[in-house]
Amino acid sequence: MNERRGRTADLGRHIGTVAAIVVIAIAIIGVAWLLVSLIDVLLLVFAALVLAAMFSAMTDRLCRTTGMKRGIALALCVVAVLALFIGVFGLFGAQLADEFATIRASIPPALQQLQWALDQVGLGSPARRLLESATADIGQYLSQAGSYVLTVGNAATNVVLLLVGAIFIASDPALYRRGLLLLVPRRGEETAAAALDDASRGLRGWMVGQAVSSLFVALLTWVGLALIGVPAAGGLALVAGLLDVIPMVGPIIAGIPAVLLAFTVSPAAAGWTVGLFLLIQQLQGNLLQPMIQERAVNVPPAVLLFAIVAAGTLFGFIGVLLAAPLTVVVFVLVQRLYVKSLLGKDIKVVGRD
């Protein structure tokens, strides 16, 4: 009788263990499904965090310099940023629109000019096939990006949520930091606090360095293309500055329309344009990039490249735009939480050691 009761108890424990495993598996699957379903919202939240980091950095600097209250300083920073964008597009919007129209109209004859030049050196047939394939791929990606941008542009609610959410977070970042730490067990609270500080510091550093880099690239591109005589130099410079946010891939994409438009001037102008972009990338890589890596995170280039590809595959065009800051944050968290805290290895975490 006792043996039968023992077997029944063991069977009950086994059933309980299996049931617990099943419940945990279902919970994990449910959480994963929920995260996938809310991926657009999560990306919007992360974009708000990136924007909030910029507002917060500007506000902290203004508060230290002037001694004014944080709310007033934040309001001035937000108004200044909005006024800057509105002023730039208000002053140069018509000119930029004309230049983008010039770019759109000049691409077909530029492609024909490039094909003629390749025919002269005997590379016409293979180059034509490669060019047609590349043009189709680029056109497909640009079409997808354009439709996504149009969708986001029409969804003014997302823009308002992004801006308002960033302002709320930047107004009192300590409040949200404390809220996240309350979800962490007490024994891991110190490590989690250090990880949040490291991620915030790395993100701020990346944003400052990236802003300087984008302005540098846009200015040099504009001056260089204007001296070469490439049409729509201002529009091409704006594209180069904006695409500089996408590491490694962005400058290549920005250089394609510039070289094509240079072919409408002459093959020599196209060659000078290629040289200009190579020179800018060398200056950026040897001067600005070390500064960005020192202030933010020295992410290995291969890791960053595959992170961009993975983000674009998983999240689309918005994933490509957020790939760099997302990689910075994940890289810092892995350093702090896994390598240093869990494995106990003595490594240098950005901005901390």
Side-chain angles (χ1 to χ4, degrees), residues 104 157 180 183 205-206:
R104 185 169 56 251
T157 304
L180 287 175
L183 303 176
W206 172 84

Side-chain angles (χ1 to χ4, degrees), residues 216-230 233 237 269 272-273 276-277 279-280:
F216 174 84
V217 169
L219 180 61
L220 286 189
T221 302
W222 177 50
V223 173
L225 293 179
L227 291 176
I228 296 173
V230 178
W272 281 109
T273 302
L276 172 66
F277 274 85
L279 175 62
I280 292 174

Side-chain angles (χ1 to χ4, degrees), residues 224-265:
L225 293 179
L227 291 176
I228 296 173
V230 178
L236 292 171
L238 179 61
V239 171
L242 294 176
L243 289 179
D244 187 65
V245 178
I246 307 174
M248 294 173 284
V249 180
I252 298 175
I253 300 175
I256 293 175
V259 174
L260 290 177
L261 284 182
F263 264 104
T264 62
V265 179

Side-chain angles (χ1 to χ4, degrees), residues 10-24:
D10 291 339
L11 180 60
R13 283 195 296 269
H14 288 313
I15 294 176
T17 302
V18 172
I21 294 174
V22 171
V23 170
I24 293 174

Side-chain angles (χ1 to χ4, degrees), residues 66-316:
T66 63
M68 66 176 58
K69 294 183 178 180
R70 184 174 183 84
I72 299 176
L74 176 60
L76 291 177
C77 292
V78 173
V79 170
V81 171
L82 293 178
L84 176 63
F85 279 97
I86 294 175
V88 168
F89 284 101
L91 292 174
F92 305 106
Q95 179 182 358
L96 290 174
D98 292 339
E99 292 192 350
F100 281 122
T102 301
I103 294 173
R104 185 169 56 251
S106 301
I107 291 298
L111 290 173
Q112 295 177 0
Q113 184 72 17
L114 175 61
Q115 187 62 52
W116 177 83
L118 293 174
D119 287 334
Q120 299 302 309
V121 295
L123 297 176
S125 179
R128 185 180 294 107
R129 291 193 299 268
L130 179 62
L131 188 61
E132 289 175 354
S133 176
T135 302
D137 293 339
I138 293 175
Q140 179 182 359
Y141 288 126
L142 290 179
S143 175
Q144 293 176 355
S147 63
Y148 187 86
V149 171
L150 182 61
T151 302
V152 174
N154 293 333
T157 304
N158 286 347
V159 177
V160 174
L161 285 175
L162 175 63
L163 181 60
V164 174
I167 294 173
F168 282 152
I169 296 172
S171 63
D172 191 6
L175 173 65
Y176 301 94
R177 181 178 181 274
R178 288 194 302 269
L180 287 175
L181 292 179
L182 287 176
L183 303 176
V184 179
R186 189 175 299 276
R187 61 184 179 183
E189 188 171 337
E190 183 178 353
T191 301
L196 289 177
D197 292 340
D198 294 339
S200 175
R201 189 176 295 106
L203 187 58
R204 288 189 180 194
W206 172 84
M207 292 189 66
V208 172
Q210 187 58 59
V212 175
S213 178
S214 295
L215 290 175
F216 174 84
V217 169
L219 180 61
L220 286 189
T221 302
W222 177 50
V223 173
L225 293 179
L227 291 176
I228 296 173
V230 178
L236 292 171
L238 179 61
V239 171
L242 294 176
L243 289 179
D244 187 65
V245 178
I246 307 174
M248 294 173 284
V249 180
I252 298 175
I253 300 175
I256 293 175
V259 174
L260 290 177
L261 284 182
F263 264 104
T264 62
V265 179
S266 67
W272 281 109
T273 302
V274 173
L276 172 66
F277 274 85
L278 291 176
L279 175 62
I280 292 174
Q281 292 309 308
Q282 287 299 314
L283 291 176
Q284 184 202 36
N286 294 318
L287 294 179
L288 289 179
Q289 200 62 31
M291 180 193 70
I292 296 174
Q293 292 176 348
E294 181 181 356
R295 293 182 61 89
V297 184
N298 188 10
V299 181
V303 173
L304 191 56
L305 176 62
F306 287 112
I308 295 171
V309 175
T313 303
L314 293 174
F315 310 131

